[in-house]
Structure formats: structure tokens, C-alpha cells
Amino acid sequence: MANSAAIGIFDSGIGGLSVARAIRELLPNESLIYVADSGHAPYGEKADDYIYQRMLHITRHLTAAGVKAIVVACNTATTAAIAKLRAQYPLPIIGVEPGVKPAVLASKSGVVGVLATPRTLLTPAFATLAQRYANQAKVILQPCPQLVPLIEALDFSGNKMQALLQSYIQPLLAQGADTLVLGCTHYNFVADLIAGIAGPDVSIIRTEMAVARELQRRLAEAGLINTDLITPDLINKGTAKAAAIFYTSGNTDIFNTQLQCLWGSADLRVTDCKTLL
């Protein structure tokens, strides 16, 4: 496989763009192919088998495009079925999971709050993760069923967003949580709002850069790092050779608006792949 092959990244929507941005920052030489499965979102309301079938479908699309690695930039998809996906495909497949371990290590009160989609919190994989640290800290789970649609709508600072975050965060603080885990990649886009509500004494645990570093490690291990010289400055100027191509199974106009807000780079190209996905 050529070192110049792209990295495939997918999510149920735009949340995985936070992971893609971290990958772009850490690995500016790498071309990216991003798939937002917005036509089948949100995954948090779907059964595990449905999510797995979507993961298979998208992975077939990405492997047909010749990607050298895949990042499942969705906590729900990772906890629902990444093990089954890895059993099907030999290339590096990197997932994301809520950062419970670093949260437990960071907590001084011994109380950790996890903000995530209801589906993520119900999966056996997450139950195993939480149980692993049950003797070290009290882990409180907070389902956030209405948060992803607001983020997808780019409603970051309205009264509804503020009220919703208050309703999710305050019960955790009332129980003594001094560390909050963002258990959905979408939530990275409202991390500052969450931090503002939680206050300066509460740590916010995000995992997108940890995912990028794990991808870097896996690529290096397999000898797949692209060594062509491309700098972040070139990318910002839109003159980098490393491409960023974006697909959506939803409405292309909406996705374009989301990209301009959350990616905003001159090196992007959007493809409507509803007929493929």
C-alpha cells in the first residue's frame, strides 16, 4: 500500500470533524477522506446491528477508494461494533472511546461525570470500560439525547443550547464531579461552553488529539507515514498537496454550511454521495 494513500474518517455526522482537525494538525502530510453519514443519523438512536451495517457500508466505500487506515470518529459506533469491523478488514482501524481513564487519573474528588449519547452508555463495551475504573472513582453517567441535533444545526450559543447543557452538567456537579468526560466527538465543538458552565475548577477531558496520536503510532508501526514535506502553513494557504475530500449521505448544502463553519479550509471538496451510501 502506498504511503501517499489517504486516511479514511467517518462519523454519523459532523462530530468526527473535530478528530479530523486533530489529525490534520498532527499529520499535515496526510490526505483525508471524510464521510458524514448524516442521512442515517443520529447513531445514538439506532440498534447495534444497524450501526454495524452502516460501518460496513462506509468501510467498503473507503477501502474502494484505497485508504490506508480508517478512523471511526464516533464513540457510539466504536463501542457498538468496532471489534466486528476489525475482524472483517486487515488495515489499521482506530476508534474513539470516552476518556474515562485520563478522567479518573485527573480527578481529585474521585467523582467523574461522563456526557455521552444514550446508546454509547448502554453498550457492553462502555460498561466494561466504566467497570474497569469503578474501584478508583465514582463514574456518573449523563445521557445527552438532545445535544447532537443542536450541534448538527450549528446552534452553539443560543438559549436552548445553554439551557440544555445546564440541565446535563449541573446534576453532575451537584454530586461532586470535578472532571467531565466528553463522550461524543460532537461535544468537542461545545467544549468551551461546557467548561464555562462547569467552572474553572472542573477539568474537561477530550480525546481527539489522543486519537490522532494513536493513528500516528499505528501508521508508523506499519511503515505508512507519508513523508512528503507539507507544512501547516501551506495547508492554511490552500497550497498543500494533501487533499481533504468530504462525503455526506445527507443534504449537501447543509453539509457545505457545516464545513465552512467547522473546517473553513480552502483545501476541501464536498461530494454528495447519497446514491452510494
Side-chain angles (χ1 to χ4, degrees):
M1 183 177 292
N3 290 13
S4 59
I7 295 163
I9 307 167
F10 72 85
D11 181 32
S12 62
I14 60 175
L17 290 171
S18 61
V19 177
R21 292 198 313 191
I23 293 170
R24 182 60 113 195
E25 179 182 340
L26 187 65
L27 298 166
N29 294 5
E30 305 292 347
S31 294
L32 309 178
I33 300 176
Y34 184 93
V35 177
D37 197 19
S38 305
H40 299 266
Y43 281 178
E45 298 176 359
K46 304 295 193 300
D48 285 359
D49 186 62
Y50 184 94
I51 296 170
Y52 175 56
Q53 293 304 319
R54 295 306 307 158
M55 293 168 73
L56 275 178
H57 205 55
I58 295 167
T59 299
R60 291 189 191 111
H61 174 70
L62 290 172
T63 53
V67 299
K68 61 184 176 183
I70 290 177
V71 178
V72 181
C74 173
N75 293 82
T76 299
T78 298
T79 55
I82 197 169
K84 292 171 67 176
L85 192 67
R86 286 170 173 157
Q88 291 271 351
Y89 291 90
L91 78 170
I93 299 178
I94 293 87
V96 297
E97 65 177 22
V100 176
K101 179 180 179 179
V104 169
L105 293 174
S107 178
K108 296 177 181 178
S109 69
V111 183
V112 170
V114 180
L115 302 162
T117 65
R119 193 67 193 160
T120 293
L121 298 178
L122 289 173
T123 57
F126 179 79
T128 300
L129 175 66
Q131 186 60 36
R132 194 180 305 156
Y133 302 101
N135 294 330
Q136 301 176 48
K138 180 180 180 182
V139 179
I140 307 170
L141 311 183
Q142 177 59 64
C144 306
Q146 301 175 62
L147 196 49
V148 167
L150 273 187
I151 294 169
E152 287 278 328
L154 305 177
D155 185 0
F156 298 129
S157 56
N159 292 335
K160 188 173 182 180
M161 175 64 79
Q162 287 287 338
L164 197 60
L165 289 175
Q166 287 277 0
S167 71
Y168 293 149
I169 294 168
Q170 289 301 332
L172 300 175
L173 302 182
Q175 295 177 73
D178 69 345
T179 309
L180 301 181
V181 177
L182 305 190
C184 173
T185 53
H186 280 77
Y187 302 171
N188 294 325
F189 292 119
V190 290
D192 289 345
L193 293 175
I194 291 171
I197 292 170
D201 296 327
V202 176
S203 299
I204 308 299
I205 304 298
R206 304 167 58 164
T207 58
E208 66 266 42
M209 188 52 72
V211 174
R213 286 192 292 266
E214 176 63 10
L215 171 65
Q216 182 185 46
R217 185 190 71 80
R218 294 285 300 279
L219 290 176
E221 190 177 71
L224 292 174
I225 293 285
N226 188 2
T227 56
D228 291 342
L229 182 61
I230 298 174
T231 66
D233 181 60
L234 289 177
I235 289 174
N236 292 334
K237 291 179 181 178
T239 57
K241 294 180 182 177
I245 301 173
F246 300 84
Y247 292 86
T248 178
S249 61
N251 183 291
T252 309
D253 291 337
I254 292 174
F255 190 46
N256 263 306
T257 300
Q258 293 168 329
L259 282 174
Q260 292 303 322
C261 177
L262 302 176
W263 189 267
S265 177
D267 68 334
L268 62 82
R269 176 159 60 89
V270 180
T271 303
D272 179 356
C273 61
K274 287 186 288 187
T275 57
L276 299 177
L277 299 174

